[in-house]
Amino acid sequence: MSQAQAAIPPQPRAKQLRACLLCSIIQTPADFRKHGCPNCEELMQMKGYPDRIQACTTTHFDGVIGVIDPEQSWVARWQRTSKYVRGMYAVRVKGRIPEDVEAELESRGIKYRPRDQSEQD
Amino acid sequence: MSDIPQRLLMPSVHDANLWQVRVRPGKERDLVFSLMRKAIDLEFSNRPLQILSAFQRDSLPGMIYVEARSAKQVSDACHGLVGIYPSRGIILVPIEEMASLLQIKKQDLTVTPGSWVRIRRGKYQGDLAQVMDITENGEEVGLKFIPRIDLNPKDDGALDALGKKRKKGAVGLASFSMRPPQRFFNYEEVVKVYGRKAVSKRNQVYVFQNDTYKDGFIEKDFRLTALQLDSVNPTLDEITRFTRGQDGTENESNVDLSIIAEASRKAAISVLQPGDHVEVFEGEQAGVKGTVHSIEQDIVTIQPIQVDVDGQRIQLPARSVRKRFKPGDHVKVMTGQNADETGLVVSVEDNVVTFLSDMSMQEISVFSKDLREAAEVGTGTNVVGNYELHDLVQLDLQTVGVIFKTERDSFRVLDQNGQVRLVQPHQISMRRDSNRAIATDSEGHELRVNDNVKEIDGEGRKGRVLHTHQSFFAFLHNRDYNENGGVFVTRARSLVSLAPKGSVMKLGSADLSKMNPALSGGAMGGMVGSGNLGRGPRDRLIGVTVMVIKGPSKGYVGTIKDTNGPVARVELITGNKVITIDKAKLKRRNPDGTLAPLEGGFMGPPRGPVNQNGRTPNPYAQQGGRTPGWGVGRTPNPYANDSRTPAWNATARTPNPYDSNKTPAWNVSSRTPNPYAADGGRTPAWSANSRTPNPYVNAGNATPARPTWGGATPGRPAWGGASPKPGGSSAAAGWGSPQRPAGSSSGWGDSGWGEPPTNAQTPAVAPTPAFDGPTPGAFAAPTPGVWESYGDFRTPAVDLSRNAAATPGITGPDTFSNQEGEFELPARWLLDPDFVTKKGMVVEVRESFGANGWHNGDYEGKDGVVLSVFDTHNETFAAMARVRFREPLVADQDVLTVPVELLRPVHPSDKDENVMILHGQHKGERAKVNVVEASLMVVTTADFVVEEITAEKLVRLSPEAS
């Protein structure tokens, strides 16, 4: 249980909460700037780059999941976030990651699954 | 991990369950966050939360889902949190439903440049805007819309830094009603108000208060959440406003109404129905026309027509087709402002269809998506609530108006000041009835509803009077005017009647003394128009005696005091109570107690209960003395439909149960009152063979009701008295009739029926009226022999004093003459005091042949007009009449003096002929033929009394005489 944990946004109502387009984690923009995305910083490289944050995260998401035990949770598994850190995730995120990230994923042989539930498999 | 398809991730029995927990609506997200924080806080405590996750969906308000192994863990986790209601049940979500909770997908609203949105909040709330661009992540869109710039800022300080802040606050506060109107940005105007500094110009773009303005529009970025994307439904007005641009000429190229289609495409899909005629307006198949074959979600299958690919169906996205109409189609609007209008298509431009409304005769442009082909003609919208088109309605204490247009659930009303108002039915306090209202036109003539009038000043408009109000305003209608549905209001005093009022009007109804309330007496209430103005009651039903046939008051009798639409106020006789009741529950109660439908039967002039020709409404009255409420002025006698006596059924039987068409004792032809005589003229007691005074013996005419003679009557012991009612019930009734009062009972009883016939006494007087009656039947069946033999035998119940005995209740002198053929004009009819002074009668010469023939009969059959009648009052000198012959034998000698005996009246044959009545109550009066029926004519006398009369009793009047 002593796994990594994302910053939990203090104000759930805050309008500016953003969700990562790749892993759907929800954080405040300040946390994204300070720490980047706790799951996919390696790819997104948002830390310290507000423009990048704008491009890789969105406020347009629907549904909030508090993932407390990602390993055990079926919800996290269904959302494909069970390998990610604990934290708040969005059920659905609108938008696609920037093309460069998509290309990077492709080069690593990782299939990109948009989180807008437009594709079901 | 990420390679596993999602379907393999479906939950299994080994996974923890999802539990649904009720929460306060709006607090879902907060509670998920709270649970998350609580879990982290308690992670290393004695009792860490056992839940694995918690989530919320925006589309499922009022509930969150918690993933845990047991409900206990869920309630533990919820413990102490505010706004969560585990007490309302922690419901297990079935395994198969778990995945779908996370798959709920909101209807995806795509925003594309060019589409229309509405702004949800702020100064521009509800305003239509067009999307220009969208940021990459889809959060913000650049919009273009019509600005609302306050050109009358409250204080000039608004411009400085402080004021700016205040202004911001003001904008936030600005209520919806306070906001400035939509107006295109105009540099000059803005500079005039805010100063040159406030506006800067960069290229084609003005910047004012941090907003950019281009071509008059404001261009501004909005977050998607602040916009309403669905059900935008831009109206044609808004769109045209938008596309017209700043000065009305610009953006000509922009008047591409297909962009509206963009906004309303989604709606368009839902309005398509199989069978609709559509055309493809975009894509590869653009231009193809066809009919919709089937629709599956967004895909329509169309059957093309007029294309080579016939027989082949094309599948298309629904958004690329639109309904197709062609000029001449009859369409109906399904939705929107003009819903339910119908009309003929006059033009089609892309997806805007213009049609000519059936109702308002105006052109209406609507989107084709809102139309359907329909054969029906719009009707429904003329009545909304209790009000309908052209009703005069009271809007408030001072204002009345006339409904000139009905919309879906509101009216357009033109009030007496000429203003148009849009009112809802509930804003109308009542409907006014202007039938009572009186007004005079410019010539002082009475102005009535439905008169065709014309303005004498102003525009000289013509119209039909719909209503008058307070004797001053007149609401007119002329469908030639488009404005306000052809309804306009004007002053009654400035109107003049288009049709000249008849002389009758001037002489009769426009009696000024009647119009003068001072002369009409206090009882009239002193209100103009309230009294008897010769127009009859304002409602014919007022004053009618009715009986309630339904409801709690059933059976009560009362009088209608007032009517209002379908209800009437009835003053009950009992308890002096006034009730309001549906007219359908009322029946007219005739004086004889019979009931009749309340309405209908008013074919004559609406005179109300007053008898038409002044007779009493005697139910037994004869033809001519009819009360209204019956057919064409028939008597209210329910049993009689001609001159028959009362109490006999409609088949015109007289009380004599054994005979038809004869009165019991008093026969039309003065026959004997023998009730058993079927062939007339016999005394009741005498048989043809004169043997016995037995009234039951008849001359071969055995009465049907007495099958056997052996059946003795009561009171005739000699006859055995076998049957107490020899004549059956009808016979008994006959005996009981008033014509044979004591005579029958005492007479029969006293006279010994068992005695030999020679000295038996019939209880009636022997000389029956049959002998001096003119009826041939009386002579054809002579009874004198009988009478001679038994001279002192009396027929029962004969009133000897009256040879022309009248049936009881008969009032008219023409009682017996009503039956046709029985009227015979005296030969010297022209000398009748009623006719001798008259002239103009059309006559013809008859019986001028013979020894003392007149002109050798040369004039036999010739007709002429009576110019004068000279009565010598002397048998020696024949009375003569001067007659102008229509076709004289000698050319220049057309006036001849003819003995009156030779002149017979020429009877009218056609409608509208002027006639004089020769017989009856109106004898000598002039009249006009209204209706010609088989044997009857309905005539109206100069006093407007309607009479039904045979042609024989009428003489034609020459046109010159009238």
Side-chain angles (χ1 to χ4, degrees):
Chain A
M1 288 295 271
S2 57
Q3 51 185 289
Q5 180 182 317
I8 306 300
Q11 292 169 301
R13 300 307 297 170
K15 285 248 174 78
Q16 69 271 28
L17 283 183
R18 301 188 76 88
C20 173
L21 287 168
L22 187 58
C23 65
S24 77
I25 194 156
I26 297 169
Q27 283 184 318
T28 59
D31 285 330
F32 274 117
R33 197 172 68 239
K34 220 183 283 176
H35 310 293
C37 174
N39 300 312
C40 39
E41 180 59 22
E42 189 193 349
L43 281 164
M44 305 294 243
Q45 294 170 349
M46 290 185 280
K47 191 172 174 179
Y49 296 101
D51 289 352
R52 191 74 181 154
I53 292 168
Q54 286 290 323
C56 298
T57 66
T58 179
T59 58
H60 212 86
F61 59 87
D62 167 33
V64 175
I65 310 171
V67 181
I68 297 158
D69 190 346
E71 298 282 348
Q72 300 294 316
S73 167
W74 164 81
V75 175
R77 196 155 73 248
W78 177 264
Q79 292 293 110
R80 302 178 196 275
T81 60
S82 55
K83 298 282 187 248
Y84 295 159
V85 299
R86 298 207 297 182
M88 306 306 292
Y89 288 84
V91 177
R92 198 169 144 249
V93 182
K94 195 171 154 48
R96 288 180 80 97
I97 52 172
E99 281 177 22
D100 63 309
V101 180
E102 208 166 327
E104 176 70 18
L105 279 175
E106 207 171 320
S107 69
R108 295 189 189 196
I110 301 169
K111 190 186 177 197
Y112 171 59
R113 295 173 189 273
R115 293 204 169 262
D116 56 6
Q117 293 178 346
S118 56
E119 293 168 31
Q120 295 281 321
D121 55 3
Chain B
M1 175 71 197
S2 69
D3 297 334
I4 306 168
Q6 192 134 27
R7 62 177 180 276
L8 297 181
L9 296 173
M10 291 300 264
S12 71
V13 286
H14 305 296
D15 289 314
N17 296 111
L18 280 180
W19 304 85
Q20 186 197 67
V21 188
R22 291 272 173 188
V23 298
R24 206 166 99 199
K27 298 286 271 181
E28 304 90 353
R29 190 180 279 196
D30 294 23
L31 284 161
V32 170
F33 273 85
S34 300
L35 281 171
M36 185 71 197
R37 275 192 292 269
K38 189 178 178 185
I40 292 167
D41 283 351
L42 298 177
E43 186 181 357
F44 302 109
S45 68
N46 293 341
R47 302 172 62 194
L49 291 192
Q50 301 290 306
I51 60 172
L52 305 177
S53 70
F55 70 91
Q56 149 280 324
R57 295 304 308 264
D58 292 344
S59 42
L60 297 169
M63 48 192 71
I64 64 169
Y65 295 87
V66 179
E67 189 183 17
R69 300 248 169 223
S70 71
K72 172 85 169 49
Q73 294 169 351
V74 177
S75 63
D76 284 349
C78 297
H79 184 74
L81 293 180
V82 177
I84 192 164
Y85 310 124
S87 58
R88 285 169 66 180
I90 297 170
I91 301 158
L92 178 69
V93 177
I95 286 181
E96 58 268 24
E97 289 176 19
M98 285 166 67
S100 39
L101 281 176
L102 290 164
Q103 282 175 321
I104 295 172
K105 199 162 141 190
K106 238 201 218 161
Q107 187 93 48
D108 214 9
L109 294 163
T110 51
V111 182
T112 51
S115 63
W116 298 98
V117 295
R118 281 190 196 278
I119 298 161
R120 268 192 216 273
R121 284 181 284 270
K123 184 160 69 162
Y124 296 103
Q125 182 176 0
D127 282 5
L128 188 72
Q130 191 173 20
V131 176
M132 297 195 317
D133 49 26
I134 300 153
T135 54
E136 201 180 347
N137 56 18
E139 286 166 38
E140 288 203 333
V141 290
L143 297 182
K144 167 176 137 171
F145 50 93
I146 304 170
R148 293 179 183 272
I149 298 167
D150 191 357
L151 293 177
N152 300 303
K154 281 216 176 80
D155 54 299
D156 299 339
L159 291 178
D160 58 26
L162 193 74
K164 207 173 191 175
K165 199 173 180 183
R166 205 189 304 159
K167 178 139 177 77
K168 242 182 191 169
V171 168
L173 280 174
S175 67
F176 202 68
S177 57
M178 288 285 286
R179 63 178 180 174
Q182 281 193 321
R183 204 168 183 161
F184 287 102
F185 182 83
N186 183 321
Y187 177 74
E188 281 77 23
E189 279 178 6
V190 176
V191 162
K192 208 184 280 175
V193 176
Y194 289 90
R196 199 161 289 276
K197 273 186 189 169
V199 188
S200 57
K201 188 178 182 184
R202 297 174 199 150
N203 303 330
Q204 291 293 310
V205 178
Y206 295 100
V207 177
F208 168 67
Q209 289 184 349
N210 292 332
D211 288 328
T212 50
Y213 295 86
K214 189 182 177 187
D215 298 332
F217 291 98
I218 182 172
E219 295 186 348
K220 201 170 177 172
D221 287 352
F222 275 83
R223 293 162 56 87
L224 215 47
T225 50
L227 300 176
Q228 179 192 343
L229 305 177
D230 51 349
S231 59
V232 175
N233 295 332
T235 65
L236 201 56
D237 268 359
E238 285 176 314
I239 302 269
T240 46
R241 180 116 199 251
F242 227 91
T243 49
R244 197 164 48 226
Q246 198 170 353
D247 47 13
T249 54
E250 214 179 320
N251 297 336
E252 197 65 30
S253 59
N254 256 1
V255 187
D256 175 15
L257 290 172
S258 67
I259 48 175
I260 313 167
E262 189 72 32
S264 49
R265 260 175 195 171
K266 290 214 166 52
I269 295 168
S270 60
V271 298
L272 281 179
Q273 289 186 8
D276 280 352
H277 293 282
V278 294
E279 73 180 313
V280 187
F281 65 94
E282 65 177 16
E284 286 177 21
Q285 312 288 345
V288 172
K289 301 179 172 89
T291 52
V292 175
H293 179 263
S294 62
I295 305 159
E296 275 177 36
Q297 291 189 336
D298 289 357
I299 307 294
V300 291
T301 308
I302 69 164
Q303 179 89 52
I305 48 172
Q306 301 169 342
V307 187
D308 294 340
V309 289
D310 54 354
Q312 195 179 338
R313 288 173 187 148
I314 309 177
Q315 292 197 322
L316 292 157
R319 65 207 305 269
S320 342
V321 302
R322 65 176 172 222
K323 287 197 197 172
R324 186 171 66 92
F325 297 94
K326 56 184 186 299
D329 283 352
H330 195 258
V331 293
K332 179 178 185 184
V333 185
M334 305 307 289
T335 53
Q337 199 186 345
N338 296 310
D340 288 344
E341 290 263 13
T342 61
L344 277 183
V345 174
V346 291
S347 78
V348 182
E349 275 179 32
D350 288 335
N351 58 349
V352 177
V353 175
T354 305
F355 68 91
L356 189 68
S357 168
D358 288 331
M359 281 180 291
S360 59
M361 288 298 159
Q362 285 173 0
E363 286 189 359
I364 298 172
S365 293
V366 293
F367 293 126
S368 58
K369 72 177 174 68
D370 296 330
L371 286 177
R372 293 226 66 192
E373 269 189 75
E376 79 220 67
V377 173
T379 50
T381 58
N382 267 357
V383 180
V384 177
N386 287 325
Y387 309 102
E388 61 184 294
L389 196 65
H390 294 166
D391 271 357
L392 182 70
V393 292
Q394 185 93 41
L395 299 176
D396 55 49
L397 281 177
Q398 282 81 35
T399 325
V400 297
V402 166
I403 296 169
F404 67 84
K405 187 170 193 294
T406 53
E407 286 170 8
R408 198 155 178 74
D409 46 9
S410 57
F411 306 106
R412 299 229 168 234
V413 172
L414 178 76
D415 69 14
Q416 84 254 39
N417 302 318
Q419 283 170 348
V420 173
R421 301 186 181 198
L422 181 68
V423 297
Q424 306 277 323
H426 66 85
Q427 291 173 281
I428 295 174
S429 47
M430 64 182 290
R431 182 171 60 203
R432 294 285 302 249
D433 181 10
S434 74
N435 290 340
R436 275 193 287 171
I438 234 178
T440 50
D441 64 12
S442 63
E443 294 175 358
H445 291 314
E446 188 183 343
L447 201 61
R448 295 203 213 175
V449 171
N450 282 339
D451 280 355
N452 279 312
V453 293
K454 184 186 167 194
E455 279 183 315
I456 51 168
D457 50 10
E459 301 169 51
R461 294 174 291 191
K462 293 175 186 174
R464 184 172 59 86
V465 177
L466 286 177
H467 297 284
T468 54
H469 176 62
Q470 290 180 344
S471 306
F472 187 76
F473 298 105
F475 291 92
L476 308 186
H477 176 246
N478 185 343
R479 51 167 64 220
D480 293 343
Y481 299 120
N482 286 330
E483 200 186 352
N484 298 342
V487 175
F488 55 97
V489 61
T490 184
R491 286 174 299 125
R493 271 291 179 191
S494 67
L495 294 173
V496 64
S497 177
L498 273 180
K501 305 254 174 175
S503 56
V504 176
M505 278 291 300
K506 283 177 183 163
L507 295 174
S509 298
D511 184 352
L512 291 176
S513 68
K514 281 183 181 168
M515 280 184 173
N516 187 346
L519 293 179
S520 58
M524 302 282 187
M527 204 174 102
V528 176
S530 67
N532 295 328
L533 286 162
R535 290 188 294 150
R538 59 198 148 97
D539 192 314
R540 296 174 301 195
L541 291 176
I542 290 174
V544 167
T545 304
V546 293
M547 183 182 265
V548 184
I549 56 160
K550 267 181 197 160
S553 303
K554 177 175 176 177
Y556 288 151
V557 176
T559 310
I560 295 184
K561 288 289 165 194
D562 194 8
T563 61
N564 189 7
V567 296
R569 278 162 52 78
V570 177
E571 185 182 270
L572 299 180
I573 291 173
T574 175
N576 196 17
K577 211 165 89 180
V578 179
I579 58 168
T580 303
I581 192 164
D582 203 18
K583 276 186 196 166
K585 294 181 180 166
L586 296 176
K587 282 224 169 171
R588 180 185 299 268
R589 188 175 188 274
N590 295 312
D592 57 359
T594 56
L595 298 183
L598 190 60
E599 306 203 55
F602 273 105
M603 283 165 161
R607 293 260 169 165
V610 180
N611 200 336
Q612 285 174 357
N613 42 15
R615 291 186 188 172
T616 57
N618 178 0
Y620 308 119
Q622 295 300 306
Q623 179 184 37
R626 288 158 196 147
T627 47
W630 285 94
V632 188
R634 298 245 167 91
T635 60
N637 179 355
Y639 303 114
N641 53 11
D642 56 12
S643 64
R644 285 152 200 156
T645 48
W648 313 107
N649 63 29
T651 55
R653 297 263 164 77
T654 53
N656 182 351
Y658 307 117
D659 203 346
S660 64
N661 229 353
K662 287 161 190 160
T663 44
W666 330 95
N667 199 299
V668 168
S669 50
S670 298
R671 288 171 189 159
T672 58
N674 179 359
Y676 306 114
D679 54 354
R682 299 203 179 118
T683 48
W686 321 105
S687 66
N689 52 13
S690 309
R691 253 191 250 151
T692 167
N694 179 359
Y696 299 105
V697 176
N698 207 312
N701 280 309
T703 48
R706 289 184 293 114
T708 63
W709 288 105
T713 50
R716 288 188 293 120
W719 286 91
S723 160
K725 279 191 178 179
S729 57
S730 54
W735 290 116
S737 66
Q739 283 76 33
R740 26 175 88 242
S744 63
S745 59
S746 64
W748 292 117
D750 292 342
S751 62
W753 282 102
E755 292 174 20
T758 44
N759 54 4
Q761 282 197 331
T762 44
V765 186
T768 62
F771 298 123
D772 43 15
T775 317
F779 301 104
T783 49
V786 177
W787 173 65
E788 281 162 9
S789 310
Y790 310 98
D792 49 352
F793 285 24
R794 291 166 179 239
T795 47
V798 173
D799 183 353
L800 289 173
S801 65
R802 296 183 61 184
N803 287 337
T807 15
I810 292 171
T811 55
D814 54 346
T815 301
F816 297 115
S817 308
N818 274 330
Q819 292 198 344
E820 293 186 34
E822 291 176 8
F823 166 73
E824 197 177 333
L825 203 62
R828 292 160 69 91
W829 62 281
L830 274 173
L831 301 182
D832 188 295
D834 282 321
F835 307 138
V836 72
T837 55
K838 301 286 192 296
K839 57 178 186 174
M841 291 82 79
V842 179
V843 292
E844 59 184 358
V845 179
R846 290 286 174 198
E847 291 164 8
S848 59
F849 299 107
N852 49 358
W854 183 72
H855 280 256
N856 298 325
D858 288 345
Y859 279 88
E860 178 74 18
K862 296 266 188 255
D863 58 350
V865 179
V866 175
L867 300 179
S868 63
V869 179
F870 176 60
D871 190 359
T872 56
H873 299 286
N874 187 333
E875 289 301 313
T876 320
F877 297 99
M880 305 294 266
R882 286 180 69 233
V883 176
R884 183 193 301 275
F885 284 91
R886 205 154 55 86
E887 296 165 339
L889 293 178
V890 183
D892 53 358
Q893 194 186 351
D894 55 353
V895 180
L896 292 172
T897 306
V898 191
V900 291
E901 299 90 327
L902 304 184
L903 295 174
R904 304 306 297 168
V906 173
H907 304 300
S909 55
D910 292 322
K911 202 168 163 267
D912 290 329
E913 286 196 79
N914 290 311
V915 294
M916 191 171 77
I917 298 170
L918 296 177
H919 191 83
Q921 201 189 20
H922 299 280
K923 188 172 165 187
E925 286 184 32
R926 284 164 185 249
K928 191 163 192 169
V929 178
N930 286 337
V931 179
V932 178
E933 285 171 8
S935 59
L936 288 177
M937 288 186 168
V938 178
V939 299
T940 309
T941 68
D943 296 333
F944 291 100
V945 175
V946 175
E947 183 93 344
E948 199 175 86
I949 199 164
T950 55
E952 286 91 332
K953 292 178 205 162
L954 300 171
V955 59
R956 187 185 285 172
L957 286 181
S958 85
E960 305 96 76
S962 52

